[in-house]
């Protein structure tokens, strides 16, 4: 677990909470940390996990308090949240800091829509994060491919929604994308839309229009994408109408996989499924993002997967298999 402290002048590097426990009871932990003196007045704290590669028990947070041990200035707030927010979702929570006689910023939910040409085929091969910057700071690196929602597919473009909770960023200015992979692949990103969920407008548009080639010589690629423009009112309606005409709604299927309770029934291989209907068949879906478990297909477990595909009609058969990797 790490924390990032944001001040009026700058922000801290991620501060690991390991070996910093000062006092611990059953329901409370006190950490003793040292921050750079040049951060300025603190206005928010980001708390999360740097990695979810290992199974992590869910951490429920109720009350949060910070005290400056030199002048005893204290702020506290209550926010009932749990980390990770979902098995494959966002791994960060942000807390606004409210000092005496100073109004705190609010927490908002942002909808980030990614438009691509091949993301559905490449999503299991790459890792992509985005850091959104505004006049009030940034979100830190947020994973974009952990949990895809509202996936839509058209003839030339695909889009999916990412939900990000963050302290109010103010007017958005830029987005920094970080794309990495352990294998050779190409990811074609068209643009990003960012909009506050509680507000009808504006929509901030970040034009990318680049094919990112990740390979052994270039395992990580970082791009800073300045805001292209933002739209509101009647122009926004016309813009969204034009965008909507380029995609078609897909049919969503919920798939539950029940792994047997005999000896050695699970697998670490990459499992896939294809659905066949009387009108069409689906593309190949890799079953890697279980809604319940970080490590799917373990003995006696049930894993749920949601997929969206073109209209198939009445289903009559499936193909299911794996690539034989691992145990």
């Amino acid at each position: 677990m790490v924390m990032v402290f944001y001040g009026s002048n700058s922000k801290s590097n991620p501060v690991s909470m390991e070996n910093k426990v000062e006092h611990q009871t059953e329901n409370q932990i006190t950490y003793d940390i040292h921050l750079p003196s040049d951060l300025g007045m603190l206005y928010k704290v980001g708390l999360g996990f740097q990695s979810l590669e290992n199974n992590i028990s869910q951490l429920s947070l109720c009350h949060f308090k910070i005290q400056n041990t030199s002048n005893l200035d204290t702020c506290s707030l209550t926010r009932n949240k749990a980390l990770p927010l979902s098995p494959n979702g966002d791994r960060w929570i942000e807390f606004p800091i409210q000092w005496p006689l100073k109004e705190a910023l609010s927490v908002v939910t942002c909808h980030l829509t990614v438009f691509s040409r091949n993301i559905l085929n490449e999503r299991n091969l790459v890792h992509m994060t985005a850091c959104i910057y505004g006049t009030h700071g940034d979100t830190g690196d947020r994973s974009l491919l952990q949990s895809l929602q509202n996936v839509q597919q058209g003839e030339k473009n695909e889009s999916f929604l990412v939900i990000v909770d963050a302290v109010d960023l103010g007017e958005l200015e830029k987005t920094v994308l970080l794309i990495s992979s352990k294998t050779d692949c190409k990811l074609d990103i068209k643009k990003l839309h960012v909009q506050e969920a509680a507000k009808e407008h504006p929509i901030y548009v970040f034009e990318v229009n680049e094919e990112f080639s990740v390979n052994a010589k270039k395992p990580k690629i970082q791009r800073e994408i300045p805001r292209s423009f933002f739209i509101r009112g009647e122009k926004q309606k016309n813009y969204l109408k034009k965008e909507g005409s380029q995609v078609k709604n897909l049919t969503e299927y919920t798939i539950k996989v029940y792994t047997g309770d005999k000896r050695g029934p699970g697998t670490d291989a990459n499992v896939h499924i294809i659905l066949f209907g009387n009108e069409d068949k689906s593309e190949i879906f890799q079953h890697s993002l279980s809604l319940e478990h970080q490590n799917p297909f373990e003995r006696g477990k049930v894993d749920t997967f949601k997929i969206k595909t073109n209209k198939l009609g009445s289903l009559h058969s499936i193909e299911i298999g794996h690539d034989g990797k691992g145990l």
Side-chain angles (χ1 to χ4, degrees), residues 28 37 41 56 119 130 139 152 158 176 192 205 210 267 286:
Q28 177 179 309
S37 59
M41 177 68 75
I56 297 176
I119 194 70
T139 61
Q152 294 184 313
E158 305 162 344
V176 175
L192 309 175
V205 180
E210 183 176 350
T267 183
Q286 298 289 337

Side-chain angles (χ1 to χ4, degrees), residues 180-196:
S180 61
S181 177
K182 295 181 179 179
T183 184
D184 293 357
C185 65
K186 293 183 179 180
L187 190 60
D188 195 340
I189 303 296
K190 183 179 179 183
K191 60 185 173 181
L192 309 175
H193 284 178
V194 183
Q195 179 183 17
E196 278 190 37

Side-chain angles (χ1 to χ4, degrees), residues 269-313:
N270 297 307
V271 177
H272 75 266
I273 192 171
I274 305 174
L275 309 183
F276 296 85
N278 62 351
E279 296 183 19
D280 202 352
K281 73 172 185 177
S282 74
E283 61 267 41
I284 299 175
F285 287 97
Q286 298 289 337
H287 275 348
S288 59
L289 301 177
S290 168
L291 298 182
E292 289 90 0
H293 307 110
Q294 186 72 19
N295 186 21
F297 311 117
E298 294 297 301
R299 177 175 178 174
K301 301 293 185 180
V302 180
D303 293 286
T304 304
F305 304 89
K306 288 185 179 293
I307 65 172
K308 287 189 176 183
T309 185
N310 50 305
K311 187 178 179 181
L312 304 178

